[in-house]
């Protein structure tokens, strides 16, 4: 999963074979070569055998029909939940609407009730070469684009070549070791890597959405236009109101509707996304029934706002669903491309000015917990002293990385909850003094007389409310801190070009993170790549080496060790200032839908899994 990282509510990382014998209990690195495999998994068993008929989390009897109008709470690549000015979601340029990925198929798809398994969609099987550097995908001859033209290996070759050259960074980076994409015949695709790829690179690359080659032969790839590239997926773009709304129409004769990976899914005739610059306006639309489903991102509204007539009449359901069993991160990034933020003592001092305890009580209604880790809510979170296995990875860098990496995992200290903890602000002042910042006339200045300024870039009033007390605490110790609220287009342009001092981020990782997945966030190769999600500009050989260790892990235990070591170092570097997290999805919806419980552990794509219930809708007057 790769996703567009910063801002607002949440984004997700990571992207979106019947002839093979089922190989239980074997890691991907031990998967057999020379034979077609119906699925791949990083470690352990595949849950579903070659003869499986459907995923367990779907309802095969779910009816088709109805409209699902919702506010997405995660998005990918260049997508934005606030506006859109292009329908090309494969490039860094512009703002695309969320869920464009519904219009495209991929070679294989993830099973969201398993941590890392993928199964064939466009490809019926994949065969691994003896050197494990080449993968031959047997494409289904019945695969069609939504204009009726056949999907061929040439389409896939064109897409992978294009993504590697000019794609969004989250597509481009995992392809850095792709040596060649080649059509062996119209229905056989070979992807050959240079041997430097991670074992798990293919798990990401095989899930890339693939548009039609023919479309880009007549449309420039980097053009921002409101014409959707042709796809082969279960939905196609319907009515479009630029910047305001988009509808995705179900393709009734979708070629893959009866495949095991599709049955029971994609039940709504129309999926509609509307765009609101203001959260309150979006909530008012939900209260009126113009929006059918929302995941509540504002604690104040969740605690106090659900007293409107439709809710009290029982027409609207408010409930919590368990979050996925995947690591998450909510944090503030300080842009180290700007010299004043390169000293970790400065970054630590800024972190000490954030009074989470006060914020939780006064702004969050007690509904969030303090985040400490880059990989919160997972086994990859470092705790206590490093284990011997972690030390083995870290010791080669002693003297070149912060000493704190080798002690207790760095924690953001609790405050006294007063909103202005004198002890913590005193510690922050001392750190800044040690870093060479001297207070003159109420402002901190360096030896060149330059003031220590910090502008927090936001595109939502809700963050102004949350971050203003933080900025006031910074001002109290002499930092010239301000907040800049900009519109979505300007925000995206400044984020893409790294034109900010501080910017917030929320990210979800896969349950089995790959090197390719975290490269864009933390690796030095992404620090100067505009449009990447390396928001702080992290460029550290030790971080790069630990990311390589993540990629080289051959089993889950080794992966966990490498991820914990990476977490320790990132936290010691103070690249990201952890903020908060929630244990559950806070969902509210009009009582007109069916859904199967329990929800799957590793995903919550409501628009793909749920269905329209005519009887329920009739009872609340929503026919």
């Amino acid at each position: 999963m790769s996703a567009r990282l910063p801002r607002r509510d949440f984004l997700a990382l990571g992207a979106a074979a019947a002839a093979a014998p089922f190989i239980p209990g074997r890691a991907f690195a031990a998967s057999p070569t020379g034979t077609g495999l119906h699925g791949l998994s990083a470690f352990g068993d595949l849950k579903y055998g070659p003869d499986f008929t459907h995923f367990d989390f779907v309802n095969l009897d779910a009816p088709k029909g109805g409209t699902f109008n919702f506010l997405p709470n995660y998005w990918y690549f260049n997508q934005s939940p606030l506006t859109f000015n292009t329908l090309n979601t494969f490039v860094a340029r512009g703002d695309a609407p969320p869920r464009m990925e519904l219009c495209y198929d991929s070679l294989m798809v993830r099973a969201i009730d398993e941590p890392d398994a993928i199964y064939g969609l466009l490809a019926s099987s994949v065969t691994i070469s003896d050197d494990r550097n080449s993968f031959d995908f047997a494409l289904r001859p019945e695969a069609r684009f939504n204009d009726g033209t056949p999907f061929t290996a040439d389409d896939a070759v064109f897409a992978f070549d294009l993504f590697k050259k000019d794609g969004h960074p989250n597509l481009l980076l995992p392809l850095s070791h792709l040596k060649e994409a080649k059509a062996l015949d119209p229905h056989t695709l070979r992807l050959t890597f240079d041997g430097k790829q991670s074992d798990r690179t293919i798990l990401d690359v095989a899930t890339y959405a693939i548009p039609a080659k023919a479309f880009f032969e007549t449309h420039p790839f980097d053009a921002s236009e409101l014409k959707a590239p042709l796809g082969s997926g279960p939905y196609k773009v319907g009515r479009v109101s630029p910047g305001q709304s988009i509808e995705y129409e179900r393709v009734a004769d979708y070629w893959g509707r009866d495949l095991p990976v599709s049955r029971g899914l994609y039940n709504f005739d129309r999926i509609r996304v509307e765009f609101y610059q203001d959260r309150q306006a979006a909530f008012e639309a939900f209260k009126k029934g113009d929006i059918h489903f929302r995941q509540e991102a504002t604690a104040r509204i969740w605690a106090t706002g659900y007293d409107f007539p439709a809710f009290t009449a029982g027409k609207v359901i408010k409930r919590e669903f368990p979050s996925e069993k995947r690591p998450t991160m909510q944090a503030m990034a300080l842009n180290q491309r700007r010299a004043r933020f390169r000293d970790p003592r400065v970054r630590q001092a800024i972190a000490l000015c954030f009074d989470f305890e006060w914020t939780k009580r006064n702004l969050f209604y007690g509904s969030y917990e303090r985040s400490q880790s880059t990989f919160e809510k997972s086994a990859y979170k470092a705790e206590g002293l490093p284990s011997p296995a972690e030390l083995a990875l870290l010791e080669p860098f002693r003297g070149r990385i912060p000493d704190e990496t080798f002690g207790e995992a760095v924690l953001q200290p609790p405050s006294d909850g007063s909103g202005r903890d004198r002890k913590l602000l005193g510690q922050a002042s001392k750190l800044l003094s040690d870093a060479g910042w001297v207070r003159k006339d109420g402002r901190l200045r360096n030896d060149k007389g330059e003031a220590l300024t910090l502008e927090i870039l936001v595109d939502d009033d809700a963050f102004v409310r949350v971050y203003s007390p933080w900025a006031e605490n910074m001002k109290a110790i002499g930092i010239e801190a301000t907040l800049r609220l900009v519109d979505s287009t300007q925000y995206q342009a400044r984020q893409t070009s790294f034109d900010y001092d501080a910017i917030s981020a929320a990210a979800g990782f896969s349950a089995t993170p790959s090197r390719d997945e975290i490269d864009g966030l933390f690796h030095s190769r992404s620090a100067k790549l505009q449009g990447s999600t390396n928001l702080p500009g992290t460029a550290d050989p030790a971080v790069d080496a630990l990311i390589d260790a993540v990629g080289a892990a051959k089993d889950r235990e080794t992966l966990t060790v490498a991820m914990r070591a990476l977490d320790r170092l990132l936290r010691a570097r103070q690249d990201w200032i952890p903020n908060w997290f929630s244990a559950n999805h806070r969902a509210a919806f009009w009582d007109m839908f069916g859904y199967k419980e329990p929800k799957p552990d590793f995903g919550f794509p409501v628009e793909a899994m749920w269905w329209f219930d005519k009887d329920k809708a009739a009872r609340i007057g929503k026919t």
Side-chain angles (χ1 to χ4, degrees), residues 25-38:
R26 303 188 68 173
F28 170 65
S31 297
T33 60
T35 186
L37 304 172
H38 75 290

Side-chain angles (χ1 to χ4, degrees), residues 334-351 402 404 427-437 446-447 452 454 479 536-537 570-577:
L334 297 174
N335 190 355
Q336 296 168 44
R337 300 169 187 87
R338 300 185 173 176
R340 60 191 182 277
F341 302 122
R342 289 176 190 157
D343 191 317
R345 293 171 294 187
V346 173
R347 302 195 294 274
Q348 184 181 357
I350 292 168
E404 293 82 357
Q427 292 176 14
S429 293
K430 184 178 187 307
L431 285 166
L432 292 169
S433 176
D434 293 345
W437 294 92
N446 60 16
D447 56 5
L452 179 52
L454 184 146
I479 300 173
L570 290 170
R571 288 159 65 179
R573 284 178 51 86
Q574 303 278 345
D575 283 351
W576 299 83
I577 300 173

Side-chain angles (χ1 to χ4, degrees), residues 68-340:
F68 186 68
N69 192 335
F70 81 125
L71 299 173
N73 74 311
Y74 63 89
W75 44 92
Y76 300 98
F77 311 128
N78 67 343
Q79 296 172 6
S80 167
L82 300 184
T83 189
F84 67 97
N85 48 42
T86 180
L87 296 183
N88 183 353
T89 193
F90 302 108
V91 294
R93 181 180 177 184
D95 288 295
R99 300 305 175 269
M100 282 300 302
E101 62 275 8
L102 289 170
C103 300
Y104 306 98
D105 285 329
S106 52
L107 297 172
M108 306 182 83
V109 295
R110 295 191 182 278
I112 58 175
D113 56 348
E114 297 181 78
D116 49 45
I118 60 175
Y119 297 90
L121 175 54
L122 286 167
S124 60
S125 68
V126 56
T127 301
I128 306 171
S129 65
D130 289 341
D131 65 4
R132 300 187 179 276
N133 291 328
S134 291
F135 302 84
D136 288 358
F137 293 89
L139 304 181
R140 300 184 192 271
E142 68 270 28
R144 294 287 186 274
F145 288 104
N146 289 329
D147 66 350
T149 57
F151 179 95
T152 70
D154 283 337
D155 292 290
V157 169
F158 181 83
F160 285 115
D161 287 346
L162 197 59
F163 294 160
K164 182 175 180 178
K165 181 175 181 290
D166 296 316
H168 187 279
N170 287 351
L171 292 167
L172 183 154
L173 286 170
L175 294 175
S176 59
H177 296 300
L178 180 67
K179 186 176 178 180
E180 182 183 38
K182 182 178 181 180
L184 301 184
D185 59 53
H187 297 115
T188 309
L189 168 71
R190 174 171 292 173
L191 298 180
T192 302
F193 294 84
D194 61 11
K196 299 178 182 179
Q197 78 283 357
S198 163
D199 282 343
R200 300 188 300 282
T201 294
I202 195 62
L203 300 181
D204 293 322
V205 171
T207 61
Y208 279 11
I210 302 177
K213 174 183 177 181
F215 178 88
F216 289 113
E217 289 178 333
T218 57
H219 296 78
F221 182 58
D222 61 352
S224 292
E225 58 179 320
L226 292 171
K227 184 174 179 61
L230 178 62
S232 61
Y235 286 87
K236 62 182 179 181
V237 172
R239 289 192 295 178
V240 174
S241 179
Q244 298 181 27
S245 65
I246 184 170
E247 287 188 359
Y248 300 103
E249 298 177 353
R250 185 170 61 85
V251 178
D253 60 349
Y254 169 50
W255 75 271
R257 63 187 180 277
D258 294 323
L259 293 177
V261 295
S262 301
R263 295 183 67 205
L265 295 169
Y266 316 121
N267 300 309
F268 295 108
D269 280 347
R270 284 170 301 281
I271 296 174
R272 180 178 173 88
V273 179
E274 296 193 22
F275 296 79
Y276 296 89
Q277 294 284 334
D278 180 77
R279 289 190 187 219
Q280 188 59 41
F283 186 50
E284 293 300 323
F286 173 73
K287 288 161 63 175
K288 291 189 298 182
D290 295 337
I291 301 295
H292 302 148
F293 178 96
R294 62 185 269 121
Q295 292 198 51
E296 186 55 68
T298 304
R300 174 181 54 84
I301 293 178
W302 186 253
T304 67
Y306 285 82
D307 57 358
F308 51 93
F311 179 75
T312 57
K315 295 181 179 182
V316 169
I317 304 296
K318 176 189 175 189
R319 62 164 291 183
E320 296 188 8
F321 293 89
S323 287
E324 285 67 66
K325 295 179 180 179
R326 297 187 284 115
T328 63
M329 178 181 74
Q330 170 82 39
M332 178 73 74
L334 297 174
N335 190 355
Q336 296 168 44
R337 300 169 187 87
R338 300 185 173 176
R340 60 191 182 277

